[in-house]
């Protein structure tokens, strides 16, 4: 490249090229990555395991007036449903910062017998009722002011971090009308952070230890957000229009899928951050990519062929 692309070219693309094209490309790429991903998560049960969460990306309101979040602050939200089979995002939705997490969760179509792990922000008894009737299981944290009565007390496994395991019914009139089904409350002691965690679920057959492990594995979605923010820099944007911002976020998500694809294909055992760093350092070197990701210290750069024509002396 003799010179960098002009700003006007980039500006025109950010303004005119529809971001929906990148969303379609993301899901096309996701399909190829899912073919390579493990078909089972690390748990013994066969249910599909998912994690649901959102991450807020702060913006300057003066530069992004369309993304108003608070009076002096702008933001967009990246809503994500992570499939634990390969830890790939199976659903992505981007909204302005003021959109409530539950609003997005209500519009999801989740297959029956799936298990969704999520944080306390998704506490919505009407949603819990619908999922219970559709045979969708959830594991989340209880509200601090939840009103309920204990219907049945279950035996607690010995020498584990389970403090109590109870079947409950909601006693608050509005809550009971929204969710008349029996739920299950499990109290777990988090030794690492020296605290008690109260879990709420509608799965009545799994052991309490398994329910606690499901919620713990929800941390993988936090790691996904951390990876995309640190490695692909979606905190700083090259355009201020809604279209430009959406293009950059979807492009970052595509790059994350491609990187995870390379990580899965490699025999070297890359960490995601190291692979991103090494790819960045080698962008302008000629290498056999498939050989290099298996043996990064042994595969030398290829010498580009000369373009100089020979003068044919006879």
């Amino acid at each position: 490249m003799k010179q960098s692309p002009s700003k006007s070219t980039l500006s025109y693309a950010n303004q005119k090229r529809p971001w929906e094209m990148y969303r379609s490309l993301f899901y096309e790429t996701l399909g190829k990555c899912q073919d390579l991903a493990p078909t089972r998560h690390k748990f013994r049960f066969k249910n599909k395991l998912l994690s649901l969460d959102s991450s807020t990306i702060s913006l300057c309101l003066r530069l992004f007036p369309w993304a108003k979040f608070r009076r002096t602050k702008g933001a967009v939200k990246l809503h994500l449903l992570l499939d634990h089979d390969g830890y790939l995002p199976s659903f992505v939705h981007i909204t302005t910062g003021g959109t409530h997490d539950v609003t997005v969760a209500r519009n999801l179509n989740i297959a029956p017998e799936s298990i969704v792990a999520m944080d306390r922000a998704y506490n919505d008894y009407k949603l819990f009722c619908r999922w219970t009737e559709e045979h969708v299981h959830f594991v989340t944290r209880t509200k601090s002011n939840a009103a309920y009565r204990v219907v049945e007390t279950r035996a607690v496994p010995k020498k584990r971090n389970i403090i109590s395991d109870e079947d409950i019914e909601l006693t608050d009139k509005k809550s009971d009308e929204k969710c008349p089904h029996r739920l299950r409350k499990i109290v777990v002691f988090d030794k690492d952070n020296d605290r008690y965690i109260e879990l709420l679920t509608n799965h009545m057959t799994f052991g309490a230890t398994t329910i606690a492990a499901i919620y713990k594995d929800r941390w993988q979605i936090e790691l996904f957000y951390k990876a995309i923010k640190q490695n692909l820099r979606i905190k700083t944007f090259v355009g201020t229009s809604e279209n430009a911002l959406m293009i950059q976020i979807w492009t970052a998500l595509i790059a994350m899928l491609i990187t995870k694809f390379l990580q899965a294909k490699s025999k070297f055992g890359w960490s995601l951050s190291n692979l991103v760093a090494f790819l960045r350092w080698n962008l302008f070197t000629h290498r056999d990519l498939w050989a290099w990701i298996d043996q990064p210290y042994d595969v030398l750069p290829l010498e580009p062929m000369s373009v100089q024509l020979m003068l044919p002396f006879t």
Side-chain angles (χ1 to χ4, degrees), residues 177-244:
E177 288 176 355
K178 292 177 181 177
C179 185
H181 302 286
R182 181 181 290 194
L183 300 175
R184 187 177 173 193
K185 177 174 169 285
I186 300 170
V187 179
V188 182
F189 179 66
D190 181 6
K191 187 178 180 180
D192 296 335
N193 298 301
D194 192 25
R195 60 174 181 168
Y196 293 96
I197 300 175
E198 296 183 351
L199 301 179
L200 186 69
T201 181
N202 62 347
H203 204 301
M204 313 305 282
T205 57
F206 280 174
T209 307
T210 303
I211 298 294
I214 287 171
Y215 187 79
K216 185 177 181 180
D217 207 44
R218 191 198 67 85
W219 183 248
Q220 292 294 332
I221 197 169
E222 303 286 355
L223 295 179
F224 185 91
Y225 279 126
K226 183 179 179 181
I228 195 171
K229 286 184 176 182
Q230 287 185 348
N231 297 314
L232 298 173
R233 302 180 184 181
I234 59 170
K235 293 182 179 180
T236 305
F237 296 93
V238 297
T240 57
S241 67
E242 182 177 2
N243 197 69

Side-chain angles (χ1 to χ4, degrees), residues 17 27 31 35 87 92 96 101-102 118 128 139 175 184 190 199 220 222 248-249 251:
R17 190 170 294 154
Y27 284 109
D35 293 339
Y87 298 115
V92 179
T96 54
D101 294 344
V102 173
M118 53 197 178
F128 293 166
V139 179
S175 301
R184 187 177 173 193
D190 181 6
L199 301 179
Q220 292 294 332
E222 303 286 355
Q248 189 164 337
I249 293 177
T251 303

Side-chain angles (χ1 to χ4, degrees), residues 16-27:
K16 301 294 184 183
R17 190 170 294 154
W19 65 264
E20 291 87 354
M21 181 186 75
Y22 295 89
R23 181 180 61 186
S24 299
L25 180 58
F26 167 82
Y27 284 109

Side-chain angles (χ1 to χ4, degrees), residues 128-142:
F128 293 166
C129 178
R130 195 192 92 197
W131 278 357
T132 302
E133 292 170 355
E134 293 175 354
H135 303 285
V136 175
H137 306 292
F138 64 85
V139 179
T140 186
R141 299 267 298 275
T142 59

Side-chain angles (χ1 to χ4, degrees), residues 12-58:
Y12 182 85
N14 278 335
Q15 185 179 4
K16 301 294 184 183
R17 190 170 294 154
W19 65 264
E20 291 87 354
M21 181 186 75
Y22 295 89
R23 181 180 61 186
S24 299
L25 180 58
F26 167 82
Y27 284 109
E28 286 285 335
T29 310
L30 175 63
K32 295 184 180 297
C33 292
Q34 285 174 330
D35 293 339
L36 189 66
T39 55
R40 287 287 304 278
H41 44 68
K42 65 181 184 181
F43 294 93
R44 291 182 180 179
F45 56 81
K46 296 182 180 180
N47 307 61
K48 173 67 74 174
L49 181 57
L50 307 163
S51 287
L52 178 63
D53 204 355
S54 71
S55 181
T56 302
I57 302 170
S58 299

Side-chain angles (χ1 to χ4, degrees), residues 48-114:
K48 173 67 74 174
L49 181 57
L50 307 163
S51 287
L52 178 63
D53 204 355
S54 71
S55 181
T56 302
I57 302 170
S58 299
L59 301 170
C60 174
L61 189 60
R62 185 172 60 85
L63 295 176
F64 300 86
W66 53 269
K68 190 171 182 179
F69 179 38
R70 296 193 179 116
R71 198 173 79 176
T72 59
K73 198 175 180 182
V76 293
K77 263 188 181 180
L78 179 60
H79 305 265
L80 198 141
L81 189 66
L82 189 75
D83 189 341
H84 287 234
D85 296 346
Y87 298 115
L88 297 172
S90 59
F91 170 82
V92 179
H93 188 56
I94 304 167
T95 66
T96 54
T99 304
H100 201 283
D101 294 344
V102 173
T103 304
V104 176
R106 287 172 181 165
N107 294 322
L108 288 173
N109 292 318
I110 299 175
E113 302 306 325
S114 298

